Structures are given as C-alpha cells and as structure tokens.
Amino acid sequence: MLLTTILRTWLTRSREPFTFSSNYSNTLDFAGLDDLGLYVHIPFCRSLCSFCPYCKVIYNAAKASRYKAALLREIDLVCNGMKTRQAVSTLYFGGGTPALMVDDLGEIIAALGQYFEIRDGIGVELHPEDIKPETLRKLREAGVTMLSLGIQSFDRDCLAKLGRQGEDFPEKLRLARAYGFHAIDVDLIFAIPGQTDASLQLDVATAFANGATQVSTYPFIDFTFADNTYKPMAERIKKQMLRRLVAYCQSRGLERTSVWTFAQPGTQKYSSITRDFFLGFGVSATTLLDDS
C-alpha cells in the first residue's frame, strides 16, 4: 500500500521492509547522536476511539500511578550509564491522552532532565476535552512549550463518523493560543466518508484562523484491529484529496514541512517523529537509532 510504503520510508529512512530480529542488547547506543529526540507514551484515555491504532487503555488512577513509577524506573535503566547530559532536540508526550497525567508530567520531565538537555522545547498531545484553563496552566508550569490538538475535524458530520463529538472547537483553540505556547499543531483527518475537498479546506482554514501555527492532516485508515463503523475512501480518492489539499495550502502561502503537515512561514515546526533519531520510553514506544 502506497501510504504504508511512504510511512515506512519516512520512519526508517530506507525503502527496505521492516526486519524484526530476536538478537538484542540490554543497552542502547545513542550517545553523541545528532538531532536525537525523546518520546514518552502515556496510554490512558477516558474512552477508546475506534479509529485510533495506538496503544491505549481506559484511565485508572491506581494503574496510572504504577505506570509512572515504572516509567521513571525505565528512564533510569536506559540512562544510568551516561557520563554527561546529552543535548536532544525535543521531548514529545503522545498517547493516549497525556493530560490525564498532567500532575505527573513535571516529575517525568525532571527525571529526563537529569540525563538530557532539551534544546527545542517540549510537546504534548491534547484531547479537545483537556483544553481547559487549569490544564493549560499546569502544562506551562511543567515546561511544555508546544501542543498538538487532536481536533480531527471541525465538521460535526465527519466527527460523528469517527465516533467523536465536537463542541466549541474554535473557542478551545483560541484558549490554547492565549497561553503562549510556541507552537500549536492541529491534527486533522482526511478522506472521512462523505468528506469533500471544500469541507477539508474549511477545516484547515478554521484551524489557522483560530490560532494554529501548523496543521497535520492524516488519511483515515481502517486498521485491521480498529472497530470503525465507516470505511475509508479508496486509495485513489485519498491521493486525489491530498494533491488538492497541497495545492490549496500552497495557494495560501503555507509551507509543506512533511508529507501531511503544513505550517505558517517563520513558525516553529512541530512533529513527534521527524527526527533523524529518537529514543522512546513507555509501553509501545519505539526507538530509532543509527542502525536499529
């Protein structure tokens, strides 16, 4: 599948298929790698969206407390052989819904800060339900400088087909902008059944009009382990929509900064995986190093 091939090439910088091996070492050779990024996975959600393929579980406070303790141990296990703090590009919290552990993020960031100097900021994925003054304030106090907002669409019909509801999304986006984050990404899904080029372009325009510094648009994919009521459009339609979306964004003076990402000129770029190398912590988190 074309999108799978693009994603694999983007992730691994190779056209070769994924190779899995049972040979491993208990150490990770990341010392001195340029443009190393950090990723932390928080798997907890209030409810489980059918379209989401990522590792997730319903939030439970006791389980989250045990998860934090395990995560802090993992950080020490991976990093305790380091002789000096290593400079890294960014730290990114994904999920799941990381804001469900907002009161723990400062402690996790401090633990990583013992081993790494984060140069270009800290980003957190945020569910629209978590765009609230108290949560935003806590994120800023913890050192978070970038947000990725999982809006998916401003169109209620499209949201319903994803099993989502959307209330006051433009207002929520403006509220997030008011807290002074350096970068605000809005995630959108395209090729939702019934979606048109016009409604997709309106989603992009609405995001930028209300404070987004960039928009990331991802195709609706029916993963084999997802439980989607609706099926995505054909690959041919997806490619046509993407081509027309690229032309639309270029006509508005936006920069295409990755396969599906468009940013305002002169703004800080924000992504979870567009790094030469990244080090993952937490359940399901992937690490990409020089040769593994």
Side-chain angles (χ1 to χ4, degrees):
M1 195 169 78
L2 177 62
L3 290 174
T4 302
T5 302
I6 292 172
L7 185 60
R8 184 177 66 234
T9 305
W10 183 29
L11 283 169
T12 66
R13 306 182 300 279
S14 171
R15 294 184 180 275
E16 297 301 317
F18 288 123
T19 301
F20 298 93
S21 171
S22 60
N23 299 318
Y24 65 92
S25 167
N26 283 329
T27 60
L28 296 173
D29 186 14
F30 56 84
L33 289 178
D34 293 331
D35 199 33
L36 179 69
L38 304 178
Y39 175 79
V40 175
H41 191 76
I42 305 295
F44 301 106
C45 294
R46 292 183 188 84
S47 61
L48 305 183
C49 296
S50 60
F51 64 85
C52 174
Y54 299 109
C55 181
K56 56 197 183 294
V57 65
I58 294 293
Y59 175 78
N60 172 279
K63 186 176 289 185
S65 179
R66 294 195 300 273
Y67 185 79
K68 181 185 73 170
L71 183 60
L72 295 175
R73 288 197 300 271
E74 180 186 358
I75 291 169
D76 286 336
L77 178 67
V78 170
C79 302
N80 65 8
M82 297 173 62
K83 295 180 174 56
T84 60
R85 288 174 78 220
Q86 181 169 339
V88 296
S89 57
T90 54
L91 165 60
Y92 184 92
F93 287 89
T97 307
L100 290 174
M101 292 183 66
V102 67
D103 293 323
D104 300 307
L105 295 186
E107 186 176 354
I108 298 167
I109 291 168
L112 289 164
Q114 296 179 73
Y115 303 104
F116 301 101
E117 178 187 349
I118 302 164
R119 296 186 313 238
D120 299 330
I122 300 171
V124 171
E125 292 179 352
L126 211 56
H127 189 283
E129 290 184 18
D130 296 307
I131 306 175
K132 302 174 181 177
E134 183 179 9
T135 302
L136 296 168
R137 175 182 59 79
K138 288 180 177 180
L139 290 172
R140 291 294 282 149
E141 290 174 351
V144 174
T145 60
M146 302 178 288
L147 295 180
S148 180
L149 308 181
I151 299 292
Q152 316 311 351
S153 178
F154 294 93
D155 184 280
R156 290 191 177 188
D157 182 63
C158 288
L159 284 174
K161 290 175 179 175
L162 297 173
R164 281 274 191 95
Q165 294 180 344
E167 296 293 339
D168 304 323
F169 280 0
E171 290 84 350
K172 288 177 180 288
L173 179 50
R174 290 195 295 271
L175 176 63
R177 186 64 178 164
Y179 275 76
F181 293 94
H182 300 165
I184 296 182
D185 168 80
V186 169
D187 280 355
L188 298 173
I189 294 177
F190 72 91
I192 302 167
Q195 188 180 44
T196 65
D197 289 323
S199 62
L200 175 59
Q201 292 169 10
L202 181 59
D203 275 350
V204 172
T206 301
F208 283 111
N210 289 280
T213 61
Q214 71 171 47
V215 165
S216 297
T217 57
Y218 302 101
F220 180 41
I221 300 173
D222 188 30
F223 293 95
T224 55
F225 41 85
D227 187 25
N228 294 311
T229 302
Y230 294 87
K231 300 302 179 184
M233 296 179 180
E235 292 299 309
R236 173 180 58 84
I237 303 299
K238 290 180 184 177
K239 287 185 280 188
Q240 291 173 352
M241 289 190 78
L242 180 59
R243 282 197 296 268
R244 290 191 286 263
L245 179 63
V246 170
Y248 169 77
C249 291
Q250 288 175 341
S251 73
R252 293 178 61 90
L254 300 170
E255 296 179 355
R256 189 181 189 183
T257 57
S258 71
V259 177
W260 297 307
T261 302
F262 306 90
Q264 291 179 342
T267 59
Q268 183 174 356
K269 308 303 183 289
Y270 178 32
S271 172
S272 58
I273 57 173
T274 51
R275 305 287 180 272
D276 289 339
F277 313 104
F278 49 89
L279 193 60
F281 297 92
V283 61
S284 84
T286 297
T287 290
L288 174 65
L289 300 179
D290 195 24
D291 59 357
S292 61

